[in-house]
Amino acid sequence: MKYPNILMMTDFGPDNSSVCTMKGVCSNICPDLITTDITHSITPFNTWQASAQLMFVVPYWPKGTIFVCVVDPGVGTERKACVAKLKDGNYIVTPDNGTLTHVYYEIGIEEIREIDETVNRLPSTRDTSIFHGRDLFAYCAGKLAANIITFEEVGPAYPVEEVVLHDTFYDPLIKENHVEGNIITVFKHFGNVFTNISYKNFKKAGFNEGDYVNVRITYKDEIIFNEKVLFHKSFGYAELNQPIIFSGSMLDICLALNQGSFAEKYGISAGKDWKVVFTK
Amino acid sequence: MKYPNILMMTDFGPDNSSVCTMKGVCSNICPDLITTDITHSITPFNTWQASAQLMFVVPYWPKGTIFVCVVDPGVGTERKACVAKLKDGNYIVTPDNGTLTHVYYEIGIEEIREIDETVNRLPSTRDTSIFHGRDLFAYCAGKLAANIITFEEVGPAYPVEEVVLHDTFYDPLIKENHVEGNIITVFKHFGNVFTNISYKNFKKAGFNEGDYVNVRITYKDEIIFNEKVLFHKSFGYAELNQPIIFSGSMLDICLALNQGSFAEKYGISAGKDWKVVFTK
Amino acid sequence: MKYPNILMMTDFGPDNSSVCTMKGVCSNICPDLITTDITHSITPFNTWQASAQLMFVVPYWPKGTIFVCVVDPGVGTERKACVAKLKDGNYIVTPDNGTLTHVYYEIGIEEIREIDETVNRLPSTRDTSIFHGRDLFAYCAGKLAANIITFEEVGPAYPVEEVVLHDTFYDPLIKENHVEGNIITVFKHFGNVFTNISYKNFKKAGFNEGDYVNVRITYKDEIIFNEKVLFHKSFGYAELNQPIIFSGSMLDICLALNQGSFAEKYGISAGKDWKVVFTK
């Protein structure tokens, strides 16, 4: 492969040709560019979810891959359009509106530049301001992937400390037989619930596969879930539709039902107000 | 890239392998062919919607791209299967059932040919007549993309005037401080509403970004929406869930809610009976 | 194309980046590998449906194609992870949990090997057991596609007779003017119903295009549908929303409504208890 892959994530949904016009813009820049979908079903305008999904996928692609992430409620207003160069060598092309939160904390941003619209915007689109996915982000990503511009030519650098970040969570509390953390995201499709507690710390606290663990989930001060749950390697160790604690795909502690939706059954969401305590 | 990209749009939905069999047919013709999805979530049998979505995407791909559009309620009956060569150098492979309406008016068709089933149909599929997407359209597109047949070898040409077209709209009425037109399509996902009034004409009539404009939408003679709405560059200039008039991605005047669905909130659809009047 | 295409089918849904991490794993093994989606909207955990959808798509791809099928309710438990080499020269990488049923009967499995996790599992994923799609199946498929391992190096062979198969159906009964069979699958999107009766046998029994045929569908002993239905080439020969019998895309006899959902209207599902009788 001569050029890095361009990966695309949006909240544009599956029922229209918007994403395909973005790919066409790349193809027009250089017909050998390859574009691949991440997902286009991010909950509309939910930059937190986009940030979390980026974090799941970035580490699995080769260095130099270009990720285009367009969840852009502020399109055409004053928010910055940027390209971030990550410390792992990947690039993210995105509105600077919170979508960089997870990679900022977990991978690190080496340098960030604001896209210079005077040179890196699709000509002939000056009279519309609502589809920067096509006119700005795909166009700039395509030029970068095809080596028509260098990273420096994206536009002026600005301080990494100015990146727009979502509020994040307190570090989890790890004691013997007692761990506290937050629910940081929920996978809509299967209803799995992700915490910010690492498998390593969970084991260090004394929990082992096969243990039944007390789990208390609270929203603000309300108790939402309070049961003894099996901790094991995978879903299939629980009975059908019974809960299970396991080490998730990012090596963080997760909760699920075996072949059911934990999030839906118990009405669980993610955020600072969603806390979870595990005790023996 | 040695061969033009083959782009695919259908109403086959996301839950089955139908589209992938079409790609396999192309791969069998020539393993170096590249296929890309437009969308497969066109409302079933809605050839008007397919026509509109084609118009959004065709202009953004390189000359020579081959678009396969299969929304085909009449599959296996007498409707023609055709390849249209557009005036911009692109090709559309489709049942001739209305899907060419928008490109006919806005890009122009240079020549149109009926697919000759005796040579351009996947052999071994004579005993089924319900999956021309695979057996006829993908197969013919693959041969055309791989230079196995020329455009002339698709089959016999027929007069462009015979292309099946949907009823279209009256030209919009443009006067000083007064513009009338039709709602020509609605994007299901975000609920944005597209008119047939160009940004250029809207400005010429005297409306400027920042103006509050009277908008009256009628269905037949019933008033569906009648409010003063801000005209500006993008969604974010309106308050959350408030309406906004803006220049859309095709440089036509559109209506939306900021982070809400205009079409759903007000029950708006598209068509000849859906009129919109803008006045100062 | 230097390498065989890797095709992916899962029940992971469209709203997350899981499938894209699988593609990244392949890209990391060899950036020239090409991955293509089959569908990711298999009904969660439904290995029968995955098996049927595989059967629809496998025959249309070039020999040597690698199909990755991950519908894996038993992930991380004792079920085998395997690669099956089919008699048509294609490969299927999948948990051995029933997804091979249709290809076993209709194409045949030449040889089957259990994936050796000690060499063909993504290093650094030892501490999670719930995403074998990424850590095992995509990784092994990528190595196989890139010629880093031979089929023999996947892991130890085991007897083809040990493949996990779903219960299948009795052979259909074919007499003059009388045919009995089972409903073997239902396409959710359009609501078409597929039987295990071949077009060839249906014709041999004396039914011809244009005939009105008595159709009786039963679930256990309950009659679900009992009407005279037109047998013809395609949907469009029936009136709108009226039923039609036709030769489906796999040359088996199917039932549908013209532009409606037969399965939904009459509440039809698939399986051993769903029988269908056609008589003159």
Side-chain angles (χ1 to χ4, degrees), chain A residues 187-263:
Chain A
F187 261 39
K188 285 184 286 176
H189 185 66
F190 285 122
N192 298 357
V193 163
F194 292 65
T195 76
N196 62 340
I197 298 156
S198 73
Y199 173 70
K200 228 173 58 187
N201 279 331
F202 198 66
K203 296 279 288 189
K204 201 185 291 173
F207 299 104
N208 287 302
E209 281 85 350
D211 290 354
Y212 281 82
V213 178
N214 295 305
V215 181
R216 201 181 65 215
I217 298 175
T218 51
Y219 174 67
K220 293 180 176 175
D221 286 329
E222 190 188 349
I223 296 176
I224 305 294
F225 179 89
N226 198 5
E227 289 188 22
K228 245 184 170 24
V229 176
L230 175 66
F231 168 40
H232 219 305
K233 286 171 63 183
S234 189
F235 318 111
Y237 289 88
E239 299 295 311
L240 268 191
N241 282 305
Q242 290 306 302
I244 182 97
I245 304 164
F246 60 96
S247 174
S249 57
M250 304 300 284
L251 309 186
D252 287 323
I253 290 299
C254 295
L255 284 151
L257 296 185
N258 183 17
Q259 300 189 32
S261 171
F262 190 91

Side-chain angles (χ1 to χ4, degrees), chain C residues 80-98:
Chain C
K80 285 196 191 86
C82 74
V83 182
K85 183 178 180 180
L86 304 187
K87 290 196 171 152
D88 67 1
N90 288 311
Y91 297 89
I92 300 183
V93 184
T94 183
D96 182 1
N97 60 8

Side-chain angles (χ1 to χ4, degrees), chain C residues 154-230:
Chain C
V154 162
Y158 59 96
V160 171
E161 304 77 54
E162 289 179 11
V163 169
V164 175
L165 299 173
H166 283 283
D167 279 354
T168 44
F169 306 108
Y170 303 110
D171 284 337
L173 175 70
I174 316 292
K175 299 192 296 191
E176 202 180 326
N177 298 334
H178 181 114
V179 174
E180 292 185 37
N182 277 104
I183 295 173
I184 57 164
T185 197
V186 160
F187 261 39
K188 285 183 287 176
H189 185 66
F190 285 122
N192 298 358
V193 163
F194 291 64
T195 75
N196 62 340
I197 298 156
S198 73
Y199 174 70
K200 228 173 58 186
N201 278 331
F202 199 66
K203 295 279 288 189
K204 201 184 292 174
F207 299 104
N208 287 302
E209 281 84 351
D211 290 353
Y212 281 82
V213 178
N214 295 304
V215 181
R216 201 181 65 214
I217 298 175
T218 51
Y219 174 68
K220 293 180 176 174
D221 286 330
E222 190 188 348
I223 295 175
I224 305 294
F225 179 89
N226 198 5
E227 288 188 23
K228 246 184 169 23
V229 176
L230 175 66

